[in-house]
Amino acid sequence: MPQKMIVDLRSDSVTKATPEMRRAMAEAAVGDDGREGDPTAQRLEKMGAEMVGHEAGLLCTSGTMANLVALMTHLRPGEEVIAERDSHFLRFEAGGLTAIAGGFPRPLPGSAGKMDLGQMESEIQPGSRLRPRSALICLENTHNMHGGACLDVEYMRAVWEVATRHGLAVHLDGERVFNAAIALGVPVRALTEGCQSVMFGLSKGLCAPYGSLLCGGVEFVGRARAMRHRLGGNVRQIGHMAAAGIVALETMVERLAEDHANARCLAEGIKGIHPELVDMGTCHTNIVSVDTTPLDRPAPAIVAALEEKGVRGLAIDPYRLRFVTHHDVTAAQMAHALNMIREVLGA
Ligand SMILES: *Cc1c(COP(=O)(O)O)cnc(C)c1O
């Protein structure tokens, strides 16, 4: 019996290392990253930092760790972090922010990933006996829970300007910042150079098996390295993993445009079923966010029905599900997925 086709569109985190990455991992020159250093990790860190317009980089195990290390490096206990309320680090990493970094979240509502600048500015606290200082603004580009929406260069610059005026640092959760750069048609550094720290993922759309890079100035990254050590994030022969990251940056960035085209195609198809299911205004990159309220059907039930047909999506809210396109889905699989989605949503 032929095997049932499974199309996994839950996340771009399901992507597997390419044959070229596997070869590079096997052959990598390695050292001890907890002693004199690992040459391949150093190459990756330098390369990644240059791409985002910063002096230095630090390879962390995951995006969660890179964000946490950044928070620990920027914040003193009790200080406030201003961030969009649906951002990944507030929704899924709040334990690290509060219990480990000792930060206090100041969530603001946003639209397509963007907080209102006036509101942002009015929330900034100089620090007093009654309320600790606001130390950091966190942005997310692309914005995961807002359908992969991009923050454009103009918005990034406006936030840098507000932060500079009030003496705050800006950290960018740029797990998918290369998706943003490709979609906007700008060099990635235009979105990152004015931030005091930037993290980006190697293991989502870029397909490496491991890691996110945290980049910033030499002094910041030196302190961040000590924070990574505190978390037990020092990995000895990390060069094997870093080697895959180098291949990811060399070979997987430009091709993100294919994922975006696939997502657009999927979104148009879903819109054909019912025009209010997808907001094309946020469908900039590789995420298709589907609002199931017009169908009057909860997202988990739809996800379960799709699973039966071999298509995996993710319910992210009671009435919202998402599909994420990535390298490991072929054109034939995309076509199959759209047919199955039409069957289930149109039922
Ligand atoms: C996946 C993700 C992270 C966390 O990365 P992990 O490597 O899974 O820990 C952080 N921020 C965003 C926006 C993400 O999508």
Side-chain angles (χ1 to χ4, degrees), residues 243-259:
I246 291 172
V247 176
L249 290 181
E250 283 173 349
T251 66
M252 305 305 278
V253 172
E254 295 299 322
R255 67 148 304 283
L256 291 171
E258 294 168 30
D259 299 345

Side-chain angles (χ1 to χ4, degrees), residues 81-334:
V81 183
I82 294 173
E84 204 287 321
R85 68 179 172 198
D86 297 320
S87 57
H88 194 282
F89 100 99
L90 289 186
R91 255 180 92 144
F92 307 117
E93 306 167 31
L97 167 65
T98 55
I100 303 176
F104 184 82
R106 181 66 55 186
L108 300 182
S111 167
K114 294 177 180 171
M115 294 174 271
D116 177 75
L117 292 169
Q119 193 178 11
M120 180 190 286
E121 192 155 11
S122 69
E123 283 293 340
I124 293 175
Q125 293 293 315
S128 68
R129 183 173 64 81
L130 299 175
R131 190 170 153 183
R133 179 178 93 90
S134 319
L136 187 65
I137 298 170
C138 272
L139 298 175
E140 185 172 310
N141 200 7
T142 65
H143 195 299
N144 188 336
M145 287 296 130
H146 288 185
C150 300
L151 309 181
D152 51 41
V153 175
E154 194 187 355
Y155 182 79
M156 296 299 302
R157 284 196 181 141
V159 174
W160 297 335
E161 195 275 315
V162 169
T164 307
R165 198 143 34 79
H166 293 275
L168 277 75
V170 178
H171 170 68
L172 178 65
D173 176 342
E175 183 68 18
R176 294 188 184 80
V177 75
F178 286 100
N179 292 84
I182 293 289
L184 295 166
V186 299
V188 68
R189 67 173 58 212
L191 301 168
T192 54
E193 60 197 354
C195 299
Q196 279 60 48
S197 58
V198 179
M199 83 82 160
F200 61 87
L202 299 163
S203 72
K204 297 270 174 78
L206 301 185
C207 301
Y210 176 100
S212 289
L213 272 182
L214 176 63
C215 300
V218 168
E219 189 271 337
F220 174 86
V221 170
R223 287 189 294 122
R225 199 172 282 279
M227 294 301 163
R228 187 187 69 169
H229 179 83
R230 275 190 197 180
L231 296 175
N234 213 53
V235 177
R236 300 296 184 176
Q237 282 73 49
I238 198 171
H240 289 296
M241 310 309 277
I246 291 172
V247 176
L249 290 181
E250 283 173 349
T251 66
M252 305 305 278
V253 172
E254 295 299 322
R255 67 148 304 283
L256 291 171
E258 294 168 30
D259 299 345
H260 301 172
N262 280 337
R264 218 175 160 82
C265 202
L266 188 62
E268 303 275 5
I270 295 171
K271 226 177 143 57
I273 303 165
H274 191 299
E276 281 161 35
L277 292 176
V278 191
D279 175 7
M280 296 307 285
T282 60
C283 187
H284 304 152
T285 56
N286 68 332
I287 299 178
V288 180
S289 183
V290 182
D291 177 5
T292 69
T293 33
L295 302 172
D296 200 21
R297 288 163 70 194
I302 293 178
V303 165
L306 280 169
E307 177 78 34
E308 292 284 304
K309 300 195 178 285
V311 177
R312 299 202 169 129
L314 197 66
I316 57 170
D317 273 322
Y319 283 87
R320 186 167 289 278
L321 60 93
R322 74 162 197 202
F323 302 107
V324 185
T325 58
H326 53 78
H327 174 259
D328 294 5
V329 284
T330 61
Q333 285 180 318
M334 283 308 304

